[in-house]
Amino acid sequence: MDLMEKITSLAKRRGFIFQGSEIYGGYQGFWDYGPLGVELKNNVKKEWWKTMVYDRDDVVGVDAAIVMNPTVWEKSGHLKAFTDPLVECKVCHKRVRADNEEAVKDHEKTHEEENIWTEAKTFNLMTEVLLGTTEPKEKSYLRGEITQGVFVNFKNVVDSTRIKIPFGIGQIGKAFRNEITPGNLTFRSREFEQMELEYFVKPDEKASEKTFEEFKLVRIKWYKDLGMNPDKLHFHDHEPEKRAHYAKYATDIEYEAPFGWSEMEGIHHRGDYDLKNHGLTYRDEMTNEEFTPWVIETSGGVDRATLFFLIDAYEEDGERVVLKLSPKLAPYKIAVFPLLKNKPELVEKAKEIYQTLKKEFVVTWDERGNIGKRYFAQDEIGTPWCVTADFQTLDDNTVTVRDRDTAKQKRIAIDKLTEYFQNELR
Ligand code: ATP
């Protein structure tokens, strides 16, 4: 089995990621997160919000609607830019205009394979929806990116808060694209989630470039701080001709996935493209100067980050599989066991500990099989610590705490456990 097959199988077997509508044969490009997957994904979002919104004084959040007035998409350029006849490379998913012979030929040179192109399609990435109860129904769209929800609320946010330029608006939410070749588990889906910061600055070449460089570092550091292998992360700058329709300049944070270096997050200098399109400006209260701010954007995929955290954490040690997830991301922080399930006094003590820890952390309970099997099972889902109530616990109110990565055990007093784990998770 190759690594992707192993990850896919683990994800299903242990309840991280299931194929969407699986009992009806699935539905291409749609995925469901199981009991452990939802915890992991929520933790990714929580950590993003903490770093990008709570830890900063210059960022606030919004949560805009998925369906917007269709005029938004006209103004943003998405209806026009997404309706060209395109062919997509089956190897690397690059799309080019079918009528751009030069680009087609150039790209063919980058692969050894032949017949790399899909059929040309008039290709609208936007997912249409029909609204209303009477005919004709009104055509609208599921948003193709969450970004526009921030721009259309730019004035609302400025007017309703005391925030002043430079400032950012953060958002996490679902986006939908009619991808023609979804694949690699959740990597390219038709429904996915994005986590984005739109950071508004004064129009100034030098200063905005500096902000762009700063956010590149903020974002790559975030992945590294959450345990991703730095050797598998790099920036990939976009050549001018490959930039999206809105970007002045752009770079991607790529992760070296089993299927090759792959975009995980885009960092874009959008200039005044968006606010100008929507006719929005900003007035500096001090100078009374009015201008169209420029935007630096960091646009990450929640599902791609979640998948790459899973892949990056996967390790095999003989028979043992360990998910070395950062404790901050691990679905369960702690597993609590009674040493033996048929000794009521041990079970009772372990239950008490479980109930106490549950008030502070996401904790799981296990009393199946022997202790070795339980460690094995917890390692495979990335639980950083296992707490066991044993016979010594009944004498001195201490428990063993076993560490996932070192497999070492310590004895810790029950009344010190909460503090111990709080410190570890800091
Ligand atoms: P790609 O070139 O891989 O299609 P993109 O350049 O179109 O990606 P952006 O429009 O910059 O992507 O979107 C920002 C982020 O949203 C991406 O870095 C990625 O993490 C996520 N994303 C985009 N499309 C998808 C998708 N189909 N499935 C899952 N995540 C996606």
Side-chain angles (χ1 to χ4, degrees), residues 271-311:
D272 64 2
Y273 182 85
D274 306 274
L275 291 184
K276 207 173 190 169
N277 283 341
H278 294 303
L280 293 163
T281 57
Y282 175 84
R283 184 181 296 281
D284 187 318
E285 277 177 14
M286 303 287 279
T287 61
N288 224 12
E289 180 195 1
E290 191 172 343
F291 57 88
T292 308
W294 287 3
V295 176
I296 309 298
E297 164 185 83
T298 72
S299 174
V302 177
D303 310 81
R304 284 191 190 175
T306 302
L307 176 64
F308 292 153
F309 277 122
L310 257 184
I311 291 173

Side-chain angles (χ1 to χ4, degrees), residues 222-257:
W222 185 80
Y223 293 103
K224 290 177 187 168
D225 287 352
L226 287 170
M228 243 183 221
N229 180 353
D231 297 339
K232 296 199 172 230
L233 288 169
H234 72 195
F235 290 112
H236 176 239
D237 293 336
H238 289 212
E239 305 298 322
E241 63 275 13
K242 287 189 193 149
R243 286 176 203 152
H245 60 283
Y246 50 74
K248 249 168 118 70
Y249 36 95
T251 194
D252 292 335
I253 297 178
E254 292 188 334
Y255 178 79
E256 192 178 15

Side-chain angles (χ1 to χ4, degrees), residues 82 93 95 125 144-145 177 179 186-196 238 244 246 252-253 263-268 297 299-305:
F82 281 4
H93 302 292
R95 287 173 216 124
L125 278 181
E145 59 172 32
R177 292 184 192 176
E179 300 280 1
T186 52
F187 177 78
R188 186 176 302 282
S189 316
R190 291 199 280 179
E191 171 177 342
F192 55 96
E193 222 167 341
Q194 295 184 305
M195 42 193 180
E196 292 193 344
H238 289 212
Y246 50 74
D252 292 335
I253 297 178
E263 172 178 342
M264 179 162 62
E265 168 152 353
I267 298 154
H268 308 122
E297 164 185 83
S299 174
V302 177
D303 310 81
R304 284 191 190 175

Side-chain angles (χ1 to χ4, degrees), residues 71-87:
T71 311
V72 171
W73 303 108
E74 251 168 57
K75 297 277 186 193
S76 71
H78 279 83
L79 296 185
K80 197 161 150 282
F82 281 4
T83 48
D84 293 328
L86 301 178
V87 287

Side-chain angles (χ1 to χ4, degrees), residues 91-337:
V91 185
C92 73
H93 302 292
K94 184 182 163 59
R95 287 173 216 124
V96 296
R97 299 245 319 232
D99 54 10
N100 186 344
E101 280 175 36
E102 204 181 327
V104 166
K105 283 217 183 87
D106 272 356
H107 188 70
E108 282 170 354
K109 287 185 208 144
T110 64
H111 296 298
E112 281 171 15
E113 294 87 340
E114 289 181 11
N115 299 326
I116 58 173
W117 301 110
T118 58
E119 297 264 309
K121 280 191 193 161
T122 306
F123 194 62
N124 194 342
L125 278 181
M126 298 292 289
T127 314
E128 292 170 16
V129 282
L130 293 174
L131 300 176
T133 48
T134 51
E135 301 292 342
K137 293 192 176 169
E138 189 185 333
K139 185 164 95 176
S140 192
Y141 303 90
L142 299 177
R143 60 185 175 192
E145 59 172 32
I146 63 169
T147 327
Q148 297 304 321
V150 167
F151 296 135
V152 299
N153 282 296
F154 175 77
K155 191 173 177 322
N156 283 336
V157 172
V158 171
D159 290 349
S160 61
T161 64
R162 280 164 297 133
I163 205 132
K164 292 189 178 55
I165 271 183
F167 76 90
I169 303 179
Q171 184 177 213
I172 299 178
K174 294 262 187 178
F176 301 79
R177 292 184 192 176
N178 267 322
E179 300 280 1
I180 48 174
T181 46
N184 287 324
L185 204 61
T186 52
F187 177 78
R188 186 176 302 282
S189 316
R190 291 199 280 179
E191 171 177 342
F192 55 96
E193 222 167 341
Q194 295 184 305
M195 42 193 180
E196 292 193 344
L197 175 74
E198 307 300 326
Y199 196 80
F200 301 93
V201 296
K202 272 190 148 176
D204 180 300
E205 276 305 334
K206 269 234 163 79
S208 63
E209 202 176 321
K210 190 162 161 262
T211 308
F212 178 78
E213 292 301 324
E214 280 165 11
F215 276 111
K216 279 169 68 173
L217 298 182
V218 166
R219 292 308 304 146
I220 203 156
K221 181 171 185 296
W222 185 80
Y223 293 103
K224 290 177 187 168
D225 287 352
L226 287 170
M228 243 183 221
N229 180 353
D231 297 339
K232 296 199 172 230
L233 288 169
H234 72 195
F235 290 112
H236 176 239
D237 293 336
H238 289 212
E239 305 298 322
E241 63 275 13
K242 287 189 193 149
R243 286 176 203 152
H245 60 283
Y246 50 74
K248 249 168 118 70
Y249 36 95
T251 194
D252 292 335
I253 297 178
E254 292 188 334
Y255 178 79
E256 192 178 15
F259 44 88
W261 286 97
S262 309
E263 172 178 342
M264 179 162 62
E265 168 152 353
I267 298 154
H268 308 122
H269 187 316
R270 297 176 76 116
D272 64 2
Y273 182 85
D274 306 274
L275 291 184
K276 207 173 190 169
N277 283 341
H278 294 303
L280 293 163
T281 57
Y282 175 84
R283 184 181 296 281
D284 187 318
E285 277 177 14
M286 303 287 279
T287 61
N288 224 12
E289 180 195 1
E290 191 172 343
F291 57 88
T292 308
W294 287 3
V295 176
I296 309 298
E297 164 185 83
T298 72
S299 174
V302 177
D303 310 81
R304 284 191 190 175
T306 302
L307 176 64
F308 292 153
F309 277 122
L310 257 184
I311 291 173
D312 200 69
Y314 185 92
E315 268 188 44
E316 286 175 8
D317 172 14
E319 286 286 283
R320 190 170 86 113
V321 169
V322 193
L323 275 190
K324 292 196 169 169
L325 287 168
S326 156
K328 290 193 167 111
L329 297 181
Y332 298 128
K333 309 303 175 203
I334 306 156
V336 180
F337 320 140

